[in-house]
Amino acid sequence: TYLPSVHAGCLEKIKGDLAGRNPQSAQDYLSSLGDIESFELKIWPNLPRSLQRVPRNTGRITVRLETEE
C-alpha cells in the first residue's frame, strides 16, 4: 500500500536512527514517532538480551509498513 506521508527517505532515516541501538532504545525511538500506531521489533539471532542490538549496517535492517483498513 502506498503511504503518501512516508517515502523512501523517511524509511532510510528510521533505519539510520535505529542502527546500533539496544532493543529498549529502539522501542522507545519507534514509540516516539507520531505517525506509528504500533510496531513489532524482531532481532535475530536470538542472543541473550544484554548482547542484542539492532545491526549497525542499515542494509541489514528491514522496515516494513503495513496499513490497517
Side-chain angles (χ1 to χ4, degrees):
T1 303
Y2 174 71
L3 302 173
S5 63
V6 178
H7 53 78
C10 289
L11 294 180
E12 290 304 314
K13 179 180 180 342
I14 290 170
K15 288 167 66 170
D17 289 345
L18 287 172
R21 291 181 184 244
N22 65 43
Q24 186 60 54
S25 176
Q27 290 176 359
D28 291 347
Y29 169 74
L30 292 169
S31 294
S32 75
L33 299 177
D35 293 339
I36 295 179
E37 291 182 19
S38 66
F39 61 87
E40 181 179 11
L41 179 66
K42 295 180 183 178
I43 297 179
W44 182 86
N46 191 16
L47 298 171
R49 190 141 179 97
S50 63
L51 298 176
Q52 289 183 351
R53 292 269 184 255
V54 176
R56 292 188 190 282
N57 178 349
T58 58
R60 297 192 52 138
I61 300 172
T62 300
V63 175
R64 187 174 73 205
L65 300 174
E66 296 179 4
T67 59
E68 292 185 14
E69 299 183 29

